[in-house]
Amino acid sequence: MARAPTRAARRKAAPPTKAPKGADRPTPPGLPLGRSGRFHPPYGLGLWALGRWTKEDEARTRSSLDRALERNVPWLDTAEVYGTGRSERMLGDVLALRAEGAPRPFLTTKVSWEHLRAAQVRASIQGSLQRLGRSSVDVYLVHAPDPHVPIAETMGAMEELWKAGKIGAIGVSNFTVPQLEAAQAALKEAEIVVNQIRFNLLDRAEATPIARYCREHRIVLEAYTPLARGLLTGRYLGREKPSAEVRRYAHSMFEADRFAELQGTARKLRDLADEAKVPLPSIALHWLARQGVAPVFGASRPEQVDAVVEAWAIRPADAVLDRAEAIAGGRVA
Ligand SMILES: NC(=O)c1ccc[n+]([C@@H]2O[C@H](COP(=O)([O-])OP(=O)(O)OC[C@H]3O[C@@H](n4cnc5c(N)ncnc54)[C@H](OP(=O)(O)O)[C@@H]3O)[C@@H](O)[C@H]2O)c1
């Protein structure tokens, strides 16, 4: 009677199973946050409702936030200036209602460019922590530089807050390379771990050298407006026109001549997405992520959060992202 093969023999006889490419590499928990040994989540939701903050806008932003928490969006970004504190307060209220043990999102908030004197920085963090209902935030960012306040004064105050444990790390936003260098030089022990700037497939000329610098200096680059205010979801390519408000807050992107050119590029990207059978926002977000950049998207409705979370889960092939790069760089007719 034939004996059943031993387990070792079975293993030897079995054809080698080929793991899908990359399957043996664990997904990193995010981007290394300076020398801290901690990680920055790879993407997140921003809680700015343009300049509006009407009751309806606030209710819609709140339902987007609820949906983002349900769907475990790992990072939430706000600022003291968003709705003059309303965004932080709303976030604090929502987090306070979370069940014990629910995953804690990574939190970033910002001190206004109008509050960069040392005493103002100290007062601003107190206000933010109070509204957020927290004893600290993961990263506290200088929202934008103020040429009238010496960067050393602001950074000295930020370092004090870091030493006191009120902020987990120091970040900046809308800083150029020379401004980043000056900010880092002003710190004695702490490091700049984040710079948040506008960066997307359609608006990348100014951001590209900053992105290179941040990569070389292990600074996490957070990209705001990653969906070009909806243009990179395929919106505004048909009959829908951007509202005056969207145009106002989209900087030069939606100005007449430039907008027509960007629409042309967005159409090519949409055709690429259709051909590759992936959502256009997957290309927009993963084009950034592939460069080690963390996109922070906006959403004024829960359905937009769903669409972005689902798009994030689809990583287009490198060849598709290479083609997107060529289209955005004007190298495809
Ligand atoms: N540091 C800074 O100076 C700075 C400046 C700007 C922004 N930020 C941060 O970055 C975050 C995101 O900025 P952003 O709002 O400009 O980013 P964005 O992601 O490029 O644009 C968000 C807008 O795109 C539209 N949208 C999103 N998903 C959509 C979908 N699936 N289908 C159709 N339309 C969709 C929505 O427009 P509608 O609401 O019009 O429908 C949404 O409000 C802000 O909340 C803020 O936290 C920082």
Side-chain angles (χ1 to χ4, degrees), residues 46 48 77 82 173-174 196 224-225 227-229 235 298 300 304:
W48 176 45
D77 177 70
Y82 296 170
S173 176
N174 301 302
Q196 185 178 113
Y224 67 76
T225 316
L227 303 173
R229 291 273 149 73
R235 237 165 128 179
S300 56
Q304 292 177 348

Side-chain angles (χ1 to χ4, degrees), residues 45-50 52 60 77-78 82 110 113 141 143-144 173-174 196-197 200 223-231 233 235-236 243 246 249 251 281 296-301 303-305 307-308:
L45 171 72
L47 296 170
W48 176 45
L50 295 186
R52 313 179 285 215
R60 283 208 304 259
D77 177 70
T78 181
Y82 296 170
K110 314 181 194 84
W113 53 91
L141 283 73
H143 206 142
S173 176
N174 301 302
Q196 185 178 113
I197 60 170
N200 63 54
Y224 67 76
T225 316
L227 303 173
R229 291 273 149 73
L231 190 52
T233 67
R235 237 165 128 179
Y236 311 127
S243 66
V246 168
Y249 286 100
H251 309 268
V296 54
F297 71 97
S300 56
R301 289 172 178 70
E303 309 83 71
Q304 292 177 348
V305 173
V308 175

